[in-house]
Amino acid sequence: MSICSSLARKFPKLTIIGEEDLPFEEVDQELIEDGQWEEILQQPCPSQYSAIKEEDLVVWVDPLDGTKEYTEGLLDNVTVLIGIAYEGKAIAGVINQPYYNYQAGPDAVLGRTIWGVLGLGAFGFQLKEAPAGKHIITTTRSHNNKLVTDCVTAMNPDDVLRVGGAGNKIIQLIEGKASAYVFASPGCKKWDTCAPEVILHAVGGKLTDIHGNALQYNKEVKHMNSAGVLATLRNYDYYASRVPESVKNALVP
């Protein structure tokens, strides 16, 4: 209610698509955020976006990515995702981790916000690559099946991390904890991937479906990423080349 209502009030021509149904009733004023982050607004807008009109943008919102983990108290899996798309392409995104540092003691700063724009960069974290020569796969914790397992096994992994949340998995890639995010199954939605994809692409990574197709984010597109997700910070071609044909045949874009 807070995110979608605040955006709709400030930018009434936006198309906003959220995982939760948008509120029709009048929203409590306490939930409306009308401030802005001046530090970010001082950054130059990439020239290819300077003429964009508000009505040309689609905003994909997942207010709580990693819901199952949230209910189980695995709070470091939880993110808030806001992605912005133009002409079907994800161009800007925010990943907020409300519980970042929640186990780091009373003096630690709780929470952080990672954000990025294509052509400008990604900010709010320290970019780090996974150990060279290691194939560390991050994949689903709560939506496993035979296709997912077959695809992960085909990557010849040194280690497999099973965690919740698409946002969380992309953070593992950009902070060097994992080499590839492999999810060979439907289940992930556009609001799960829009913002994280931007952060990854802004630092030279790549996110596609399991066939290698770019994801589309125009407002008419179906919400399900029915052909899964494959994402890496580096060495995308290695992982893409190892996706079994049987997996590709089972996942229709």
Side-chain angles (χ1 to χ4, degrees):
M1 289 174 78
S2 178
I3 293 168
C4 295
S5 300
S6 299
L7 284 171
R9 187 172 291 196
K10 192 152 192 167
F11 307 105
K13 295 175 184 172
L14 281 182
T15 298
I16 302 169
I17 305 174
E19 175 163 28
E20 312 302 333
D21 291 334
L22 301 187
F24 289 109
E25 70 276 12
E26 192 58 38
V27 172
D28 190 328
Q29 187 59 37
E30 283 186 3
L31 289 175
I32 299 297
E33 173 58 67
D34 59 6
Q36 52 200 28
W37 198 350
E38 295 300 335
E39 185 185 331
I40 289 179
L41 293 178
Q42 288 167 11
Q43 300 267 4
C45 176
S47 57
Q48 67 265 41
Y49 305 135
S50 58
I52 284 180
K53 295 184 176 67
E54 194 177 302
E55 56 267 32
D56 297 334
L57 295 173
V58 182
V59 180
W60 295 86
V61 178
D62 188 345
L64 204 166
D65 183 39
T67 314
K68 188 169 191 293
E69 287 69 29
Y70 177 71
T71 65
E72 295 172 15
L74 299 169
L75 300 182
D76 48 354
N77 288 216
V78 173
T79 59
V80 180
L81 304 175
I82 305 174
I84 302 173
Y86 173 62
E87 295 183 338
K89 183 179 179 181
I91 64 165
V94 178
I95 304 177
N96 175 263
Q97 283 183 292
Y99 301 107
Y100 179 72
N101 270 344
Y102 83 107
Q103 293 172 311
D107 298 330
V109 177
L110 185 66
R112 68 170 170 174
T113 299
I114 293 169
W115 66 279
V117 181
L118 295 189
L120 183 63
F123 308 89
F125 66 100
Q126 197 65 46
L127 182 65
K128 187 180 175 188
E129 296 190 14
K134 289 272 189 191
H135 302 301
I136 304 168
I137 306 299
T138 182
T139 191
T140 183
R141 177 178 171 270
S142 52
H143 303 286
N144 202 19
N145 59 38
K146 185 179 185 302
L147 275 182
V148 172
T149 303
D150 287 351
C151 198
V152 167
T153 303
M155 302 293 155
N156 196 20
D158 295 295
D159 196 9
V160 179
L161 311 175
R162 298 188 184 278
V163 300
N168 183 36
K169 294 183 190 74
I170 296 301
I171 290 171
Q172 289 188 315
L173 296 182
I174 62 177
E175 294 195 321
K177 297 185 177 76
S179 330
Y181 166 21
V182 180
F183 184 54
S185 176
C188 208
K189 308 283 200 321
K190 294 293 188 297
W191 45 72
D192 294 313
T193 51
C194 187
E197 173 182 321
V198 174
I199 306 299
L200 188 61
H201 285 176
V203 292
K206 188 169 181 177
L207 184 148
T208 66
D209 71 11
I210 225 74
H211 299 271
N213 302 314
L215 300 183
Q216 296 297 313
Y217 295 98
N218 46 295
K219 61 186 173 188
E220 296 86 11
V221 81
K222 65 179 179 180
H223 297 167
M224 179 75 75
N225 291 323
S226 52
V229 176
L230 176 65
T232 69
L233 178 60
R234 305 286 180 257
N235 305 318
Y236 172 88
D237 291 345
Y238 167 85
Y239 296 99
S241 71
R242 299 187 74 94
V243 176
E245 286 303 314
S246 58
V247 170
K248 290 182 180 177
N249 292 338
L251 293 175
V252 180

